[in-house]
Amino acid sequence: TSLISGSRLLAAIANDQVLPILNIFAVQPGQEPTKALLFVGVICAAAICLGELNAVAPILTMFFLMCYTCVNLSCVLLHLLKDPNWRPTFRFTHWT
């Protein structure tokens, strides 16, 4: 699941043009992010070839923590700024 979700996250960041260097991974809506999937697959294969799980685990943990931090930070900012487009459908969206 991390392989697929990581490639889709990479493609979404590329589609938003947050980092210009990642524009190569941008895809049209409805298409599969093939380039991003291959890139993430190469990263996964390199981690497997490294052969030491204790070396890979902290890096993977930091990626997940950074992803969750960015999602929570965006929720906090949208809530504090009282953005009219912020209409969460989840029942418990309060960040405190």
Side-chain angles (χ1 to χ4, degrees):
T1 59
S2 294
L3 183 67
I4 300 299
S5 62
S7 63
R8 292 190 184 272
L9 183 62
L10 182 61
I13 292 171
N15 284 342
D16 290 342
Q17 298 177 350
V18 175
L19 297 171
I21 196 167
L22 297 178
N23 286 344
I24 191 169
F25 300 114
V27 293
Q28 297 297 323
Q31 291 184 344
E32 291 295 322
T34 308
K35 292 179 188 175
L37 186 59
L38 290 174
F39 180 71
V40 172
V42 167
I43 291 175
C44 289
I48 291 170
C49 289
L50 188 63
E52 184 63 38
L53 184 62
N54 291 331
V56 177
I59 298 169
L60 184 63
T61 301
M62 291 308 293
F63 279 128
F64 276 109
L65 287 175
M66 290 299 294
C67 182
Y68 295 140
T69 300
C70 290
V71 169
N72 287 335
L73 181 63
S74 65
C75 289
V76 167
L77 290 175
L78 288 170
H79 179 76
L80 289 177
L81 295 174
K82 299 186 185 338
D83 187 12
N85 292 330
W86 174 242
R87 298 183 192 118
T89 57
F90 186 61
R91 210 171 130 192
F92 304 106
T93 59
H94 198 271
W95 56 275
T96 57

